[in-house]
DNA sequence: ACCTGAACACCGTTCAAGT
DNA sequence: ACCTGAACACCGTTCAAGT
């Protein structure tokens, strides 16, 4: 498959990797499967990528290109809400990316560019540097956790439960009664948004407490 | 190793699995490694556990035994803060557990018991059922995301970065200036607590808006 | 520079057999 | 019931060789 192009390059390798991970899950992405999809010998890939780990880094960073850019004209909190909703949607579309982020710190150029944008917006809102750094980390963590939660419960990837029976009304009446509510929330974008908004509202109070700053935004101050 | 006991059982298998995952990472936990640590043939394990997936489920649920129980006498928000701090510490001590939770929905008996406790506490605080379910999910998601963040950055498991250079002052002045701050926050329990408290504070407002309820809260008591 | 082929040290799991 | 042994269809990666 994918034949014809003749020559292999990094973008083609990354694209094929994402396609395999989307179709069959990250656990089924192997260098050998990838090679056969590219009609090439496994070792050919090693000429473009040092090892599988580097391939995963490239997948995670490269896919951030698809993120809708932050809208600078909007209020800072709704701009951030949109940005992280974009993250969440990206991770739902490509569950492998969220998984990769939990195993390898993402430090590629696109990831750093997004981080820079977020920190700039928080700073312009009047939030001090330390709080901004902390806010960035907490919001990213929440977003990744919520995305993993939804993808791990998406019908297509559920492992068949065997050992454990269903949740019983006798042992856990509340959890039992809320079973269907929780199942619905697990596939609901509104559930993600609710938590995100609660975090943003909390940082809004930090912003209000600080003196508003002009958005000139010159770097780490000289 | 681990010889002498003569007979294999599920607790021994689970304990050995955790020991391997703690020492060498979940990615190095294999049925064959596990078998050799138990001085047994790989196939012997399959007599106690259906497959590797079930083994992972058992590891994740069984380890929840170590969680400090929720202190019912404390105010609900500080009780929940303690409980989830306990989760966070458990995941830091055993990074494999947080990883497993992102791949397989945790529905074992201990997980359900913890969920029941949390829902009961939220309800007794005067939070309605739908909000309680949503709060539970968001707080768990945040906790898992934050735990994964810290473990993925723990010095012992960092993959050597190759493709991407260090973050440059020219391209990302803010991110560059905050590099050391962010690195410090990545290993700081206070960073986790800050985000957790912001979420709890938000739900405290829901509780205040609702009529307070007597803490009759039947169920797992008795 | 870019790719192939053979090989090494691993995987999870099935199936048949032993006690 | 509990365990072994051999086998199957896979892995990631090194090394030497081809063009």
């Amino acid at each position: 498959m994918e034949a014809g192009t003749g020559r292999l390059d990094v973008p083609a390798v990354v694209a094929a990797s994402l396609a395999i991970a989307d179709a069959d899950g990250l656990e089924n992405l192997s260098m050998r499967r990838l090679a056969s999809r590219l009609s090439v010998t496994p070792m050919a890939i090693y000429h473009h990528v040092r090892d599988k780990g580097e391939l995963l880094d490239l997948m995670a960073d490269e896919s951030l290109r698809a993120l809708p850019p932050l809208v600078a004209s909007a209020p800072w909190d709704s701009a951030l809400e949109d940005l992280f909703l974009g993250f969440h949607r990206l991770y739902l579309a490509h569950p492998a990316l969220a998984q990769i982020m939990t195993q390898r710190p993402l430090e590629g150029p696109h990831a750093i560019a997004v981080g820079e944008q977020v920190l700039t917006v928080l700073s312009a809102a009047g939030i001090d540097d330390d709080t901004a750094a902390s806010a960035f980390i907490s919001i990213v963590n929440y977003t990744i956790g919520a995305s993993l939660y939804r993808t791990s419960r998406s019908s297509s990837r559920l492992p068949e439960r065997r050992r454990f029976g269903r949740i019983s009304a006798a042992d856990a009446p509340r959890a039992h009664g809320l079973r269907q509510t929780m199942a619905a929330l697990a596939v609901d974008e509104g559930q993600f948004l609710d938590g995100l908004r609660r975090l943003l509202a909390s940082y809004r109070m930090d912003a209000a407490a600080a003196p508003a700053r002009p958005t000139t935004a010159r770097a780490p101050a000289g």
Side-chain angles (χ1 to χ4, degrees), chain A:
Chain A
M1 358 196 147
E2 215 99 340
T5 59
R7 244 182 187 52
L8 209 58
D9 58 1
V10 173
V13 170
V14 170
S17 303
L18 246 180
I20 292 175
D22 287 344
D24 299 324
L26 185 60
E27 67 278 14
N28 289 311
L29 170 61
S30 72
M31 300 301 268
R32 300 178 109 111
R33 281 254 264 143
L34 181 56
S36 101
R37 168 181 262 263
L38 293 166
S39 307
V40 103
T41 239
M43 289 317 300
I45 296 164
Y46 285 83
H47 207 267
H48 299 89
V49 139
R50 183 178 300 247
D51 57 16
K52 194 179 178 184
E54 189 178 279
L55 176 62
L56 298 178
D57 286 338
L58 284 168
M59 289 170 67
D61 195 70
E62 208 53 38
S63 61
L64 295 184
R65 287 178 124 87
L67 265 192
L70 199 146
V71 285
S73 61
W76 69 271
D77 49 351
S78 74
L80 289 184
E81 183 179 313
D82 288 348
L83 178 73
F84 284 97
L85 182 56
F87 261 102
H88 186 238
R89 287 179 174 156
L90 177 68
Y91 290 150
L92 283 188
H94 307 287
L97 303 180
Q99 264 177 275
I100 293 171
M101 286 209 54
T102 66
Q103 284 153 30
R104 332 196 94 235
L106 187 46
E107 288 169 7
H110 297 96
I112 287 173
V114 171
E116 183 71 12
Q117 281 185 57
V118 172
L119 291 173
T120 301
V121 164
L122 287 170
S123 176
I127 293 173
D128 69 84
D129 280 0
D130 287 359
T131 306
S134 173
F136 178 48
I137 293 175
S138 283
I139 295 173
V140 166
N141 287 344
Y142 169 75
T143 300
I144 292 181
S147 303
L148 288 167
Y149 178 78
R150 282 188 63 190
T151 62
S152 80
R153 263 145 244 262
S154 85
S155 50
S156 65
R157 297 179 200 285
L158 278 183
E160 311 93 62
R161 316 243 96 244
R162 300 169 183 118
R163 189 120 196 162
F164 305 130
R166 288 259 142 248
I167 158 176
S168 90
D171 290 348
R174 280 179 206 285
H176 181 80
L178 289 175
R179 231 170 5 138
Q180 304 193 6
T181 305
M182 308 249 307
L185 292 178
V187 295
D188 179 17
E189 188 169 278
Q191 162 65 22
F192 165 74
L193 267 177
D194 178 77
L196 176 60
R197 286 183 178 137
R198 286 172 188 272
L199 281 173
L200 287 172
S202 177
Y203 294 112
R204 215 183 293 128
M205 293 174 64
D206 292 72
R213 274 213 263 166
T215 76
T216 43
R218 292 195 13 94

